Amino acid sequence: MTLTGIPLPGTAPRDTTRTGPAPAPPAPPAARVVVVGGGMAAARLVHQLAAAADGAGSPASARPARRPLRVTVLAEEPHPPYNRVLLAEVLAGRYPTPVIALPAPAAGVAWHGGARVVHIDRAARRVRCADGREFGYDTLVLATGANPVLPPLRGLFTPDRRLPEGVHAFRTMDDCLGLSRAVRPGVRAIVIGGGLLGVSAARALAARGAQVVLAQQAERLMERQLDPNASRLVLRHLEDLGVEVHTECRVRDVRAVGGAVRSVELADGYALDADLVVLACGVRPRTGPAAQAGLAVDKGVLVDDALRTSDPHIHAIGDCAQHDGTVYGLAAPALEQADALAGFLAGDEGARYTGTRSLTRLTLTGPGSPFDLAAFGETEARPGDDVVQLADATRGTYRKVVVRDDRLVGGVLVGELGTVGALARAWEGAEPLPDDGPLLHLLTNDGGS
């Protein structure tokens, strides 16, 4: 016997009539992207992800997101995102802090300032902050940046492991604001370190009327970026601003009285009175959270072309990342890495980061016209390289390019940067140079830039 139209016990009758199209399947849940760090790389990443979600025409939005993203940023600094490159201009009094602010995060981004991540649980895919808050993730992005190098000087720390009053690193907005409060005309300031950061800090303090001494352990200023001729021009510019520069000079001792700095002692025993000491000795990638989580770490957190770490659910960008053996520690590579990762997370499986050829550019302001310099690639020639130089001692200008196997491999310009665009394009392209003109053409033709 066949029963028709009679429901089985405990079941409801099935309605076989169709009154419209089948309902759409439910939307997939938003993927949780947690970004650890609130610097320039993190800000660029979330901006590009927001642009992708809005369909804006940006590299990150070449394809629509394959899955909605819910983005959370855990920024250790309490300040909104800012352009770290311009901190020296704030210290010099040239810019107020709002001028260097980066665009505010999009409305859909949960930005938590003052959130210091202390533990990453890879198995549970959760991170824990120092205040006990926990956040789950589907994708974790480490943008933890770098810490200032604190040199091994006697007396650098008080018994409770704090820097004495008047001793400052120069890395964060808080460092900059602390120095700004302390500097005043006539204050005696010692800058330890003569690289890009030290030169910028010395110039900024001098602009505020401080009596500045710069102590550089290497034989010349900015030795990683500049050749000896360009370094001498930087030295002359600082001296014109009243900065006393000592090269091949090692500081060995910081002397504090009552918890406040009073002097520094050099390796030769000579002491310099000091009300302020600025530590500009470089930075070191902040890899602690990654190492504690068991990720592969060398100088930085190791990443592949998709900016993935040894855990495929965790990526790293910016100053903490080491790609193809290189830790860049510069703004331009950090932004390019953020763009590439944003594209990947937004659904572009082909988005990759293949490295950056970075140009260092610095403008020093002071009495008279600004002092500009730019350097890229290898500024020191090898045997067999072709070198072309133009120098004008009266105007304080200098241009130099290094050519190897008919390709531009580096250059440095001081004072006049009209040709920097053409030179940078020739260097970045790494193409053979045209043989229809002398190398001097590279230094005198701006290529329309």
Side-chain angles (χ1 to χ4, degrees):
M1 180 182 295
T2 302
L3 299 178
T4 303
I6 302 177
L8 297 176
T11 67
R14 183 178 59 173
D15 184 0
T16 60
T17 63
R18 295 182 63 92
T19 59
R32 301 166 301 172
V33 177
V34 174
V35 183
V36 180
M40 295 174 67
R44 178 65 162 253
L45 174 66
V46 299
H47 173 78
Q48 294 293 70
L49 288 175
D54 292 340
S58 70
S61 57
R63 302 181 184 179
R66 59 189 170 191
R67 181 179 175 186
L69 302 178
R70 189 171 78 241
V71 180
T72 300
V73 179
L74 306 178
E76 186 166 335
E77 290 191 62
H79 308 284
Y82 59 89
N83 186 341
R84 194 183 308 276
V85 174
L86 296 176
L87 282 177
E89 300 302 327
V90 174
L91 178 58
R94 184 179 178 188
Y95 294 155
T97 54
V99 170
I100 71 169
L102 296 175
V109 175
W111 188 287
H112 299 273
R116 182 168 64 89
V117 171
V118 295
H119 181 68
I120 300 171
D121 186 338
R122 291 168 52 195
R125 295 189 198 168
R126 298 187 67 80
V127 297
R128 185 174 72 249
C129 297
D131 60 9
R133 287 180 294 173
E134 293 193 0
F135 298 84
Y137 67 84
D138 298 300
T139 296
L140 183 66
V141 180
L142 300 179
T144 49
N147 291 325
V149 172
L150 302 181
L153 307 178
R154 292 197 300 262
L156 184 60
F157 293 101
T158 63
D160 57 355
R161 297 298 297 171
R162 295 177 180 271
L163 294 175
E165 180 184 345
V167 178
H168 300 262
F170 189 34
R171 175 68 180 170
T172 67
M173 177 66 78
D174 284 340
D175 294 335
C176 181
L177 295 177
L179 276 168
S180 295
R181 289 190 295 267
V183 68
R184 61 187 183 278
V187 73
R188 299 166 299 182
I190 311 295
V191 177
I192 302 177
L196 180 62
L197 185 61
V199 168
S200 299
R203 186 272 308 174
L205 293 170
R208 296 283 298 274
Q211 300 176 23
V212 183
V213 175
L214 188 152
Q216 163 71 323
Q217 186 167 331
E219 66 179 9
R220 66 177 191 267
L221 299 176
M222 295 182 63
E223 80 283 2
R224 293 185 179 179
Q225 295 90 8
L226 304 181
D227 70 351
N229 290 330
S231 289
R232 280 192 289 271
L233 290 174
V234 175
L235 170 63
R236 189 174 80 177
H237 175 77
L238 290 179
E239 290 177 338
D240 288 345
L241 295 178
V243 178
E244 182 181 332
V245 179
H246 297 270
T247 56
E248 298 184 276
C249 172
R250 184 172 63 86
V251 175
R252 71 180 183 187
D253 196 357
V254 172
R255 295 181 178 178
V257 177
V261 67
R262 289 293 178 263
S263 66
V264 299
E265 182 179 320
L266 306 181
D268 60 7
Y270 186 73
L272 299 171
D273 293 336
D275 304 303
L276 283 178
V277 173
V278 180
L279 305 173
C281 305
V283 296
R284 181 176 293 115
R286 189 175 181 186
T287 60
Q292 292 169 5
L295 299 176
V297 170
D298 184 25
K299 298 186 293 289
V301 184
L302 299 180
V303 296
D304 62 12
D305 287 359
L307 287 313
R308 284 178 297 225
T309 69
S310 53
D311 182 330
H313 299 287
I314 302 178
H315 300 253
I317 58 175
D319 292 353
C320 70
Q322 179 177 337
H323 174 266
D324 196 21
T326 301
V327 177
Y328 289 96
L330 297 169
L335 300 181
E336 290 186 11
Q337 290 171 6
D339 288 349
L341 181 57
F344 182 81
L345 296 181
D348 184 356
E349 295 287 352
R352 291 293 185 271
Y353 174 73
T354 56
T356 299
R357 294 168 70 84
S358 295
L359 181 145
T360 298
R361 187 161 181 171
L362 176 66
T363 297
L364 302 175
T365 56
S369 59
F371 178 85
D372 293 312
L373 66 86
F376 54 92
E378 301 178 44
T379 59
E380 297 279 14
R382 298 180 187 173
D385 290 347
D386 292 316
V387 178
V388 180
Q389 301 181 78
L390 292 177
D392 187 331
T394 302
R395 300 169 62 190
T397 63
Y398 174 68
R399 300 181 184 185
K400 169 186 173 181
V401 292
V402 180
V403 177
R404 180 179 307 140
D405 297 329
D406 294 325
R407 287 173 170 80
L408 184 63
V409 296
V412 57
L413 297 89
V414 178
E416 290 182 355
L417 304 189
T419 63
V420 68
L423 292 170
R425 288 191 293 272
W427 171 62
E428 291 171 354
E431 297 292 333
L433 298 172
D435 56 8
D436 57 353
L439 291 177
L440 189 63
H441 180 74
L442 288 171
L443 297 181
T444 57
N445 177 39
D446 65 7
S449 63

